[in-house]
Amino acid sequence: MATPTPDQLGVYYTSKDLTADGAAIPNRVTGSDSSVLSISVPAMTEATDFWNGAIGTFIGTSTATSALRGFFFHVRKWDLATKKLALAQPLPIAPATGDTFQIIASGKTASNCEVHAMKVSGKQPEIEPVAGTSITGVTIKKASALLGEGTLTLSYVTSPARALTIRMGSANPGPEVTITANATNLPVFNADLSGYVLVDVNFTSLPTSSRSDTFTITVPKGNLIPSMEGYETNDGAGRTRYHLIVAKNKSTSPLDAMTAFSIWTGRPAGNQTTVTASYSYSADTPGSISVSNASTWPTRGFWVRRTVSGGSGDIRYVDYRSSNTLYVKPVTWGYLRFQNGTTELKPGMAINGTTYSATAIIDQVVLTGGSWSAGTAAGTLILKKFINSFYNTEAIRVDNVQVAQAVASSTRGYRGYTATTWYNNDRIEPLSDIDIGLNLPSAGLYKNPETENIAPDGITFGIYQDQTEAMILESVMAGSSVGIWTRETILDGTQARQDLDGSVYISWY
């Protein structure tokens, strides 16, 4: 059994408007009255709000809008009446009439478009192939994320045979790839055979002498998870966002299985450190945590996790860091198990209790049994803007009318954790911005939430940061796919972050 090379892994965008596995993302055309904060699309007919939270990118070749090619935008709201996409952040320039773009709203069906990888000298090569100044006849079509950021050198030799190599920085070059004819999407690997570029070769245009070109490799922003927190939480309420990507073993050989298929996420930079004074969380006011050394950590807007000492871990959200003091948000989210549900509970509903005047907004409803129509619905509510506590057997009310009953007392915490006191010498570390969950396809289709803020039914999310705590599948066979959902938890009043790490890493043997 062979081990597929990294270029055989395809990671694809998905969209809920597509109807067949591997479908093409339609090209859209802008209207005559677009601006830097809105895109006019006369031909789009989806219902109002269908495209809320979608991501898109320009692919047109108009000279007037060349600054937009490969630029990702994020949709705040789609309005069918005005035929306009309102954007979360301004574009570099206003689109010209007739400019072309693509847009996706995550979920349901994998497209035939792979998630765009690294930028090459400021360009997105999947949209705008990149050519150097010295090696004629060669254009870069993709730069793998496993190359990392830095300087890429592409070298071409003519003897003993025409061949290409690449290297990052001062590292050794990878193996030579011999060229004997025109080629399309030819992989050229670095020294450890992980990172690579895909190139097209026009054989007759190749130089007659050995040459090299250098390129700057950088990470693109917002090509999978939008950076929209600032506008989303200016109403004082937090959000969760769910996005789906599909990973596929593109090999055509039945022997090429990706075994021990492992998935994990990136996390902010920062070494593990220890708490220097006990900290008891608050349910309504910000607090501070003193640590021994956070000099390598971000300065604002990141999660931290307590990893050891006296029991299970716990997490907090850091608004900002000043030296070795972390200023954290109060724990205003939590969980409430319920039974005897008679009226369907939905995200956004306000609920209240009867014993201690507890109130909260429902962020998500996880139904585990029974039915609303029979008055037997049971499950768990994920709550935000959570004040006071609900207690076992207490009535859960909407507009002061009982709609369900608490099974146990409510708990506070974020992302599946229960809030606890942190103690002196507890070890803590920066935590990933996202959780992930697995979705195996059924007849080529994946879960299809109504909006990006509603959880895909039946998907279990968890924190899998770093390869040592990865989510592991037994194998992904040639031609097979697996869906990977990301969940981003955005707390009340969180400011927009350009450096949010939405990286998803995959390895196999």
Side-chain angles (χ1 to χ4, degrees):
M1 183 172 290
T3 299
T5 54
D7 59 305
Q8 293 301 307
L9 175 70
V11 180
Y12 296 87
Y13 289 112
T14 66
S15 193
K16 64 183 182 180
D17 65 314
L18 303 179
T19 57
D21 185 47
I25 299 173
N27 290 347
R28 314 284 183 171
V29 179
T30 58
S32 60
D33 58 344
S34 299
S35 71
V36 294
L37 277 173
S38 68
I39 301 175
S40 171
V41 200
M44 288 209 311
T45 59
E46 288 79 14
T48 291
D49 295 335
F50 180 90
W51 295 106
N52 293 6
I55 66 172
T57 187
F58 287 88
I59 61 173
T61 58
S62 164
T63 301
T65 53
S66 61
L68 294 176
R69 285 202 299 274
F71 185 88
F72 285 88
F73 60 84
H74 307 141
V75 178
R76 180 168 62 86
K77 183 176 176 61
W78 160 247
D79 188 337
L80 179 60
T82 63
K83 297 279 190 170
K84 286 189 175 182
L85 298 163
L87 307 184
Q89 297 166 327
L91 300 170
I93 61 172
T97 302
D99 200 24
T100 308
F101 68 93
Q102 294 179 334
I103 186 172
I104 64 166
S106 182
K108 185 181 175 181
T109 303
S111 73
N112 67 349
C113 180
E114 293 192 40
V115 173
H116 301 320
M118 305 294 270
K119 282 192 170 183
V120 178
S121 296
K123 296 182 179 180
Q124 196 67 57
E126 293 92 337
I127 296 172
E128 193 173 8
V130 178
T133 57
S134 296
I135 307 174
T136 56
V138 176
T139 54
I140 298 176
K141 301 284 289 298
K142 179 180 180 178
S144 163
L146 294 178
L147 290 172
E149 291 190 305
T151 299
L152 171 76
T153 300
L154 175 66
S155 297
Y156 165 77
V157 297
T158 58
S159 178
R162 299 190 184 199
L164 292 171
T165 61
I166 62 168
R167 63 181 172 87
M168 287 297 296
S170 59
N172 292 328
E176 287 190 347
V177 177
T178 302
I179 308 169
T180 59
N182 290 347
T184 301
N185 290 330
L186 178 70
V188 185
F189 287 91
N190 62 3
D192 66 4
L193 303 181
S194 60
Y196 63 91
V197 296
L198 298 182
V199 300
D200 284 356
V201 177
N202 183 332
F203 189 77
T204 59
S205 297
L206 290 172
T208 57
S209 59
S210 299
R211 301 181 182 182
S212 63
D213 281 308
T214 59
F215 307 89
T216 301
I217 305 297
T218 55
V219 174
K221 300 293 185 180
N223 68 347
L224 178 61
I225 297 179
S227 298
M228 299 163 60
E229 296 90 332
Y231 104 79
E232 278 189 316
T233 62
N234 59 15
D235 60 358
R239 303 285 190 277
T240 48
R241 284 210 307 259
Y242 301 89
H243 289 272
L244 172 68
I245 56 174
V246 167
K248 181 179 181 179
N249 181 348
K250 296 192 294 183
S251 176
T252 57
S253 170
L255 298 178
D256 287 351
M258 294 178 172
T259 58
F261 193 84
S262 303
I263 309 162
W264 68 96
T265 66
R267 70 173 181 90
N271 299 325
Q272 192 176 92
T273 189
T274 57
V275 175
T276 58
S278 295
Y279 159 74
S280 297
Y281 72 90
S282 171
D284 51 23
T285 58
S288 62
I289 304 173
S290 297
V291 300
S292 58
N293 183 4
S295 60
T296 59
W297 291 20
T299 56
R300 69 179 184 91
F302 61 98
W303 293 91
V304 294
R305 175 171 63 172
R306 169 180 177 259
T307 60
V308 294
S309 184
S312 60
D314 187 14
I315 65 177
R316 297 286 181 271
Y317 188 83
V318 180
D319 258 338
Y320 66 98
R321 174 180 69 85
S322 177
S323 187
N324 292 324
T325 302
L326 313 178
Y327 293 90
V328 297
K329 284 186 175 292
V331 184
T332 58
W333 288 46
Y335 315 96
L336 177 61
R337 291 173 53 207
F338 72 92
Q339 64 183 0
N340 301 330
T342 59
T343 300
E344 184 176 2
L345 297 172
K346 297 181 178 181
M349 282 185 171
I351 63 171
N352 66 283
T354 54
T355 306
Y356 290 104
S357 301
T359 62
I361 304 296
I362 298 174
D363 182 76
Q364 301 296 323
V365 181
V366 182
L367 196 64
T368 57
S371 70
W372 303 107
S373 59
T376 59
T380 300
L381 302 178
I382 301 176
L383 305 176
K384 59 192 176 187
K385 295 186 73 68
F386 185 11
I387 299 173
N388 297 325
S389 298
F390 293 85
Y391 289 87
N392 185 33
T393 72
E394 182 173 3
I396 301 170
R397 303 187 298 182
V398 174
D399 294 330
N400 291 319
V401 175
Q402 181 170 339
V403 295
Q405 183 183 42
V407 173
S409 296
S410 56
T411 59
R412 290 184 179 271
Y414 296 115
R415 296 170 61 181
Y417 283 89
T418 298
T420 62
T421 298
W422 293 17
Y423 296 99
N424 186 33
N425 290 325
D426 281 355
R427 292 199 293 270
I428 65 171
E429 64 186 6
L431 182 68
S432 170
D433 289 297
I434 61 174
D435 309 319
I436 54 176
L438 202 61
N439 185 181
L440 299 178
S442 175
L445 297 178
Y446 299 84
K447 301 294 184 178
N448 188 30
E450 181 180 345
T451 74
E452 67 157 5
N453 298 121
I454 296 178
D457 178 55
I459 303 300
T460 300
F461 288 89
I463 293 173
Y464 299 92
Q465 74 171 26
D466 299 328
Q467 191 169 11
T468 56
E469 52 182 296
M471 176 191 296
I472 301 177
L473 289 173
E474 183 176 347
S475 62
V476 176
M477 305 303 293
S480 296
S481 302
V482 59
I484 304 166
W485 282 96
T486 65
R487 180 180 69 184
E488 182 191 1
T489 301
I490 308 151
L491 301 188
D492 311 0
T494 302
Q495 297 302 304
R497 290 173 51 207
Q498 292 296 320
D499 59 347
L500 185 147
D501 188 346
S503 302
V504 175
Y505 298 91
I506 297 171
S507 73
W508 62 90
Y509 296 105

